[in-house]
Structures are given as structure tokens and as C-alpha cells.
Amino acid sequence: MTSEDDRSVEELFAELPEKRQQAMAEVGLGLPELLRMAAAPGGLRKVRRILADVSTSPRPSGPGEGKRPAIWPWGRLVLATFASALVSLLLSLFIGTSSAFVGIGLGLLVIWLAFKTPDSRGAPAARFLTAATYFVLIFAGSHSANAWYLQLHGEEQTVTLASPTHQWTHGTRETYCRVRLQDGSVHEVIDNKAGCADRVGQRTTAVVDPSGHYDPSLGTRSDLGGIVEGYICLGAAVLLVLTPLIAVTAGRRDGNRARRAVA
């Protein structure tokens, strides 16, 4: 049997997996470079040691070994996440909190794109945090979109409490308040159940959407809420941007260590 010391540099390099050969070439240690190193005094022993270290390295030999993680897949993931969250938020103008179900469906695209990102030390955590922040955005957004919209476009108006409606929910009879606007139309109010059955005909203040996308909300703008949810969504959006950047940075450090390992 031929010993390792008897084999040429070409033979030792050829025994490496193709992915490792490509990785070494990308960091400037392809076969031509190794042959030039071996021709120098004492270079053959150094080259043999490099090839031995690379052949026994525990680093995975899957796609992308030794490469810096591409920025575009992470950027594509962030753009798709924001776009999906925005679509879900805009749909709440027409279907209310049911837009969260659309957001869940779009979340499958976000998860698929997350697993298309390059592998690196921080990639698994970055994928999980991206998906988590996305679902925070769609659930908090669908629940609070009405308050945010009315804060910006709503008008405070004096309305008259009308006869409430009653619905059975999970075996319980719920009372929902309704108000008559100044134009004579009657609307069920947002998030204001009961407390109005004995006040029919009384006048009160409500925030009204002039475009009619959202039902009125009893009280003034200061009663709308949504501030806490707004800060939560803002924090989630910041985290959504920072997480892929951290993953890319960690991946580049791994790539630098890989270069030093074969240097």
C-alpha cells in the first residue's frame, strides 16, 4: 500500500470531496496554488499538512462550505416578511381581524424563504426570530389596525346610542352596542360590548371613520388605545432588520475562520 508520504499533491487533493476542493479554491488554496507552495523549500511538508487537516476537518461538506453567506437571500427574506405583514395589515381595512388568517397563509412563504437562507452559525436562530417577529407583526397589527387607522383618519363626532344587537357566542348571549351617526346610518361599534342597553337614545362621543372602512369606536381618540401594540410592532420590525444582519456577520466570521484553518 502506498503511504501518504509517497502520494503526490495531485493525488492527495483529488481524494478530497469536490465541495472541499471548491472551497479551497475560493480561499486561494486550489491545486495550482498548492503546487506552487510545494515547490518552495519545505513547502511539500506544509502542503501535506494542509491537505491532511482539511481532509479530517469536521466542517460539513454540504453546499456553500467555506463561502461567506450571501446577503441577498437574507434581504429577500426581510422584504418578503415586511411585504406579507403589510398585505395582512391592509386587508384588515376590508376584513378586520380575519386578515390574521391571510397573514398565517403568507407566513408559509416567509418560512420557506427562511430555509432558503445560507447556513451559518447564527442562521437557525435568525430564521426562528424572523418567523417569530413576523407573526407578532400580523397578530398585533390585525388586532390594532383599527385603532391606528382611527387615530390618523378618524373624526370625533357626537352620536346617539341605538338599540343594541344580541348574539350567542360560545353559549353566552353577548350584547353589542350600536350608534346612530349624524348622517342617520346605524353602525355596530368596535370593541364596545354591553353597557349601552339602558342608555338607548342618549348622546355620546365616538370616533368615526369618514371612509367607512371601520366601524365607530365609542369615546375619544385618547380612548382608542393601540399604543402598546404599536411599540411592540416597532420593536419587532427593528428586530426583523437586525436579525439577518447578525446572521450574515456571524457567517462571515465563520468564513474567516475557515480561511485561517486552511492557511
Side-chain angles (χ1 to χ4, degrees), residues 10 22 34 47 52 66 75 90 159 169 188 212 214 246 251:
E10 292 91 336
Q22 294 175 357
L34 292 176
V47 170
L90 291 177
V159 298
T169 304
E188 190 175 283
Y214 287 108
I246 294 172

Side-chain angles (χ1 to χ4, degrees), residues 201-246:
Q202 293 184 13
R203 298 174 69 80
T204 186
T205 301
V207 182
V208 179
D209 175 16
S211 61
H213 288 303
Y214 287 108
D215 288 329
S217 179
L218 288 179
T220 63
R221 280 195 179 87
S222 60
D223 299 320
L224 288 170
I227 297 177
V228 174
E229 292 83 355
Y231 282 118
I232 290 174
C233 287
L234 179 61
V238 172
L239 183 61
L240 180 60
V241 173
L242 292 180
T243 296
L245 294 178
I246 294 172

Side-chain angles (χ1 to χ4, degrees), residues 16-98:
L16 295 175
E18 183 179 354
K19 293 296 182 180
R20 299 238 167 157
Q21 294 180 17
Q22 294 175 357
M24 292 188 66
E26 288 171 1
V27 296
L29 289 174
L31 182 58
E33 291 80 10
L34 292 176
L35 290 174
R36 283 195 292 270
M37 292 174 58
L44 182 58
R45 178 175 298 179
K46 181 179 180 180
V47 170
R48 290 183 184 277
R49 186 170 63 250
I50 290 173
L51 292 173
D53 290 342
V54 172
S55 64
T56 58
S57 171
R59 294 192 307 273
S61 58
E65 175 191 6
K67 298 180 181 179
R68 292 184 174 185
I71 295 178
W72 165 239
W74 289 106
R76 178 182 59 189
L77 173 62
V78 171
L79 290 175
T81 303
F82 274 119
S84 299
L86 182 61
V87 168
S88 177
L89 185 63
L90 291 177
L91 284 176
S92 68
L93 290 171
F94 307 99
I95 59 177
T97 56
S98 297

Side-chain angles (χ1 to χ4, degrees), residues 70-184:
I71 295 178
W72 165 239
W74 289 106
R76 178 182 59 189
L77 173 62
V78 171
L79 290 175
T81 303
F82 274 119
S84 299
L86 182 61
V87 168
S88 177
L89 185 63
L90 291 177
L91 284 176
S92 68
L93 290 171
F94 307 99
I95 59 177
T97 56
S98 297
S99 63
F101 294 103
V102 177
I104 292 173
L106 293 173
L108 298 177
L109 172 64
V110 173
I111 293 173
W112 180 76
L113 289 175
F115 282 98
K116 289 294 183 179
T117 54
D119 286 324
S120 65
R121 183 179 55 179
R127 293 169 186 149
F128 172 80
L129 286 175
T130 299
T133 53
Y134 169 75
F135 286 107
V136 167
L137 286 174
I138 64 168
F139 283 112
S142 63
H143 181 267
S144 304
N146 58 338
W148 300 336
Y149 185 89
L150 291 176
Q151 288 278 11
L152 294 174
H153 300 286
E155 297 178 354
E156 292 185 8
Q157 187 178 117
T158 300
V159 298
T160 303
L161 290 171
S163 299
T165 59
H166 304 281
Q167 299 178 22
W168 288 92
T169 304
H170 302 294
T172 303
R173 189 170 183 264
E174 298 283 355
T175 300
Y176 294 83
C177 296
R178 297 195 306 166
V179 295
R180 186 181 304 277
L181 305 184
Q182 293 177 359
D183 62 5

